[in-house]
Amino acid sequence: MTNDTTTPDLSRRKLLAGIGAVGVASAGAGLGTSAYFSDTEELTNNSLTAGTLDLKLDYKSTYMGGPGRLEAVQAMGYPDAEDLGDGRYLLDQAPSTADMQDWEDLVQGEEFDFCSPEADEFLVNGDEMPIFSLEDIKPGDTGEVTISIHICDNPAFLQLSGAITENGENEQNDPELEAEGEDTDGIGELADAIEVCVWYDEDCDNVYEPTGTGQNQELEVALVSDVSGSMDGSIGDLQTAANGFVDNLAAPDEAAAISFNSSASLDQELTTNYQAVKDAINLYNDGGGTDIAAGISVGEDELLNGTNATVGASKVMILLSDGNSSETAAENAAQAAKDAGIRIFTIALGSANTSLLEDIATSPDDAFVAPDPADLDTVYAEIAQVVLAGEQEIVCGTMSEVFSQLSEGMLLDGNRQEEGVQPYPGATTQCIGFEWELPFEAGNEIQSDSVAFDITVAAEQSRNNGSPFATGEQ
């Protein structure tokens, strides 16, 4: 994987815009002297500069290898490994942070500029390095890596590929020989025994969550939106993104629109008339202060006591704010809603109080950050994926089966809410999860076997590219 961040100056042209009209004046009959008027205008310093495409990765890897093995894990090349409890170990993470939650906050937040030159020393940026280098794995062991993908500058199609580079039989002891019978091909059985799953990890939390909140029951969602004066310039992006979320709903799921500034307003009660919800959102104007608690309280009341509220439905609130508010009031209102069974997602836009909105959310994984208004589309789409469909599988099966498919390269979908494979937006971060498990049922035939594999992520510009990766080049 290579990176070229140069921006060559392709052309500089000086354009002659025009020469003024010419007039002739005669000093007298028969005299040939004359004067010419002239005028010159120039459009100068024109230039064309090539854009850039930069792909950067970071990751967090864990290993479930049984309790009491910290020293053994550290000895396998992970001197900074941490015991997370219950036999699970944090192997490594880049960039390094205090703990796993800090890493999740970092990759989804705005405090760290992953596209800056200074970030290169912390990230997987053209480096070849192992994520897993484990010995003495046993049936029941699992490992997982969350790969955080950063597209800098231009939108791009992404391709995930991989290969098994070693599938060794190694030494065959008596139990293995007895289990294998007449196995003399020298190829190990570990790749056929290990189960692998790769998925879009929407919340970057190292956990595959295939079932959405509203998967098996009716969903009722309250879109609670900050329309205070500080939202000036962001209302249009909010409306577009919220409308996109509503477009993913289907009956019997219901939605309601609530707005808040110095007070809160129920703009559209729960309904399956999704156009009515979008119409209400499209009437928003900015103005006034920020009372987050009021917005939460109106949203809670509508979800629990609204005319169309349904007992037993899955209750979700999506709260967006770009400002600050009384922390005590907001936290108390949020706790009351959560105690009533409402799952709260929060979106911290721009200069919002990120810490407060994380406290308001049902869990840190339900707290999202949109550094700029243009990021709202992506954030609402990620929440929609979690709420409506759960996290989407990319490929699952035995390690042999998965890498057989990855060997051809698989296009990754940058927006799972739209049909077809979409490019990843420029200046965006999304996560891919990769988990392996050696089932308890694995027999003696895998003893001493070893397997090695590579994972590759490649980026290719999306603009003017109708057939991404058509040539097979990366």
Side-chain angles (χ1 to χ4, degrees):
M1 186 163 46
T2 60
N3 293 273
D4 183 0
T5 58
T6 60
T7 56
D9 187 351
L10 296 183
S11 173
R12 292 185 180 272
R13 298 183 180 181
K14 182 178 291 186
L15 303 180
L16 188 62
I19 300 178
V22 177
V24 179
S26 175
L31 297 180
T33 59
S34 61
Y36 290 87
F37 296 110
S38 66
D39 185 16
T40 300
E41 304 289 351
E42 291 183 310
L43 302 176
T44 62
N45 297 322
N46 301 285
S47 68
L48 298 175
T49 302
T52 62
L53 174 60
D54 198 4
L55 168 65
K56 297 183 179 182
L57 304 179
D58 56 280
Y59 68 93
K60 174 178 63 179
S61 59
T62 62
Y63 170 50
M64 179 70 79
R69 300 198 63 222
L70 179 60
E71 291 186 3
V73 171
Q74 291 174 333
M76 285 188 282
Y78 301 98
D80 298 324
E82 299 177 27
D83 189 342
L84 302 176
D86 298 325
R88 189 176 183 218
Y89 303 90
L90 175 63
L91 297 179
D92 199 4
Q93 52 187 357
S96 178
T97 60
D99 57 34
M100 289 179 61
Q101 186 56 56
D102 284 348
W103 185 89
E104 293 175 31
D105 295 342
L106 188 67
V107 300
Q108 297 185 82
E110 58 179 327
E111 293 81 6
F112 189 78
D113 183 3
F114 288 93
C115 293
S116 67
E118 292 77 15
D120 290 351
E121 62 180 291
F122 302 107
L123 307 181
V124 182
N125 190 29
D127 304 325
E128 296 181 1
M129 59 185 301
I131 294 174
F132 298 110
S133 182
L134 299 171
E135 302 170 359
D136 192 27
I137 67 170
K138 298 287 195 299
D141 286 1
T142 65
E144 197 275 344
V145 58
T146 294
I147 302 171
S148 178
I149 299 169
H150 309 278
I151 299 294
C152 300
D153 306 313
N154 281 300
F157 288 107
L158 292 188
Q159 184 186 68
L160 180 69
S161 60
I164 293 178
T165 58
E166 176 189 332
N167 193 14
E169 183 76 80
N170 301 325
E171 299 178 3
Q172 292 178 301
N173 57 25
D174 290 339
E176 185 176 6
L177 287 169
E178 182 178 343
E180 293 177 350
E182 299 296 324
D183 183 3
T184 59
D185 60 7
I187 300 176
E189 286 71 42
L190 194 56
D192 291 328
I194 290 177
E195 298 288 334
V196 168
C197 194
V198 187
W199 73 96
Y200 296 102
D201 193 351
E202 305 291 350
D203 49 9
C204 300
D205 69 345
N206 286 80
V207 179
Y208 181 31
E209 299 157 318
T211 303
T213 299
Q215 183 85 352
N216 300 313
Q217 59 190 132
E218 179 184 340
L219 170 69
E220 293 179 347
V221 57
L223 296 167
V224 182
S225 304
D226 186 343
V227 294
S228 61
S230 58
M231 286 290 291
D232 179 31
S234 303
I235 292 292
D237 294 285
L238 161 63
Q239 291 166 332
T240 299
N243 284 341
F245 178 92
V246 174
D247 284 337
N248 287 293
L249 299 175
D253 297 340
E254 295 181 308
I258 293 97
S259 61
F260 67 91
N261 44 33
S262 302
S263 59
S265 169
L266 174 62
D267 306 306
Q268 173 57 55
E269 65 181 1
L270 286 167
T271 181
T272 55
N273 182 346
Y274 305 128
Q275 188 57 53
V277 179
K278 293 193 292 184
D279 289 344
I281 293 171
N282 289 337
L283 292 175
Y284 288 165
N285 291 299
D286 60 276
T290 306
D291 190 341
I292 293 176
I296 295 173
S297 296
V298 172
E300 176 193 4
D301 184 63
E302 177 60 19
L303 288 171
L304 299 180
N305 307 310
T307 303
N308 297 321
T310 304
V311 175
S314 180
K315 312 282 187 175
V316 170
M317 185 185 303
I318 302 174
L319 183 142
L320 174 142
S321 179
D322 74 335
N324 203 353
S325 186
S326 168
E327 294 190 5
T328 300
E331 290 170 354
N332 289 342
Q335 192 60 54
K338 288 183 281 190
D339 290 343
I342 297 172
R343 182 177 182 181
I344 301 179
F345 292 85
T346 60
I347 304 171
L349 173 62
S351 60
N353 186 336
T354 305
S355 176
L356 171 60
L357 291 175
E358 183 176 299
D359 291 340
I360 289 172
T362 298
S363 75
D365 295 331
D366 291 344
F368 291 76
V369 174
D372 298 304
D375 299 320
L376 289 175
D377 254 348
T378 300
V379 172
Y380 273 92
E382 290 177 2
I383 295 175
Q385 183 65 40
V386 174
V387 171
L388 301 174
E391 293 177 335
Q392 182 179 328
E393 169 189 316
I394 297 173
V395 57
C396 294
T398 67
M399 180 169 281
S400 295
E401 293 168 342
V402 167
F403 278 91
S404 176
Q405 295 189 58
L406 290 180
S407 66
E408 302 297 324
M410 300 184 68
L411 278 175
L412 298 177
D413 188 359
N415 186 346
R416 277 73 67 193
Q417 295 304 303
E418 294 187 16
E419 293 184 5
V421 176
Q422 303 298 320
Y424 281 64
T428 190
T429 295
Q430 295 191 33
C431 290
I432 300 294
F434 177 101
E435 184 176 45
W436 60 266
E437 177 182 7
L438 182 58
F440 283 107
E441 296 76 19
N444 283 325
E445 66 269 17
I446 57 96
Q447 289 197 48
S448 81
D449 290 359
S450 61
V451 63
F453 56 91
D454 294 337
I455 302 173
T456 302
V457 181
E460 189 174 277
Q461 73 173 53
S462 61
R463 193 176 67 185
N464 304 327
N465 186 1
S467 301
F469 297 98
T471 63
E473 297 179 356
Q474 298 182 2

